[in-house]
Amino acid sequence: MGVQRTLSIAKPDAVSKNVIGEIYSRFEKAGLSIVAAKMLRLSREQAEGFYAEHKGRPFFPALIDFMTSGPVTVQVLEGEGAVLKNRDLMGATNPKEAAAGTIRADFAESIDANAVHGSDSEESAAREIAFFFATSELCDRV
Ligand code: RTP
Ligand code: MG
């Protein structure tokens, strides 16, 4: 699989609960390095563009309301098999179905407020990283 990069977001619920550090710590303990990071408040336009694949789904309005409800942190994680590793650390979309010890099981309240986003494929990761970061903002760690 090799070294990959993936996009992670700590969603508004995670930021307001003050658990960003704990979430970053899980990435680092799993061997993922943060190679870019920032905090911002998503506009509706940004949130709709980012989640464009879900436009028209019944949960889309609630998803956009939630993602624009407060600041988020956006980070690029790098490491061996980073895309799948991050998805494993996150747990299932619905925290009630998320395996014990995953980020969503430990920090999320509901399928809407589910603490983190992670790219679901290498293709999504490339698109999502470019959505938030210029190439010059990605820092080589070696
Ligand atoms: P994410 O994109 O945020 O990492 O979440 P995911 O891959 O685990 O799930 P995805 O299918 O991409 O859905 C994006 C977000 O939409 C909300 N959702 N609600 N009520 C529902 O059936 C439903 N399905 C999805 C969730 O907040 C999910 O994180
Ligand atoms: Mg998704």
Side-chain angles (χ1 to χ4, degrees), residues 7 9 11 50-51 53-54 57-60 62-63 66-67 87 90-94 104 110-120 128:
L7 187 90
I9 301 179
K11 295 185 179 184
F50 183 77
Y51 278 118
E53 66 182 299
H54 295 311
R57 307 274 290 274
F59 59 82
F60 189 73
L63 174 62
F66 174 65
M67 290 302 291
R87 296 289 299 194
M90 289 163 57
T93 307
N94 184 346
R104 283 169 166 165
S110 69
I111 193 164
D112 295 311
N114 61 3
V116 278
H117 162 81
S119 307
D120 60 12
E128 293 176 358

Side-chain angles (χ1 to χ4, degrees), residues 61-134:
L63 174 62
I64 301 308
D65 284 348
F66 174 65
M67 290 302 291
T68 56
S69 66
V72 299
T73 70
V74 185
Q75 46 280 334
V76 178
L77 311 178
E78 182 180 85
E80 191 69 28
V83 173
L84 195 58
K85 192 177 271 187
N86 180 42
R87 296 289 299 194
D88 286 346
L89 291 170
M90 289 163 57
T93 307
N94 184 346
K96 292 178 181 62
E97 293 164 8
T102 60
I103 293 169
R104 283 169 166 165
D106 290 346
F107 301 121
E109 302 302 327
S110 69
I111 193 164
D112 295 311
N114 61 3
V116 278
H117 162 81
S119 307
D120 60 12
S121 67
E122 271 198 282
E123 293 70 32
S124 302
R127 181 183 67 81
E128 293 176 358
I129 290 168
F131 188 91
F132 285 112
F133 294 99

Side-chain angles (χ1 to χ4, degrees), residues 14-29:
V15 175
S16 71
K17 276 186 191 163
N18 257 352
V19 294
I20 306 165
E22 295 200 46
I23 290 172
Y24 275 29
S25 180
R26 291 186 184 211
F27 298 148
E28 293 180 334
K29 285 183 181 140

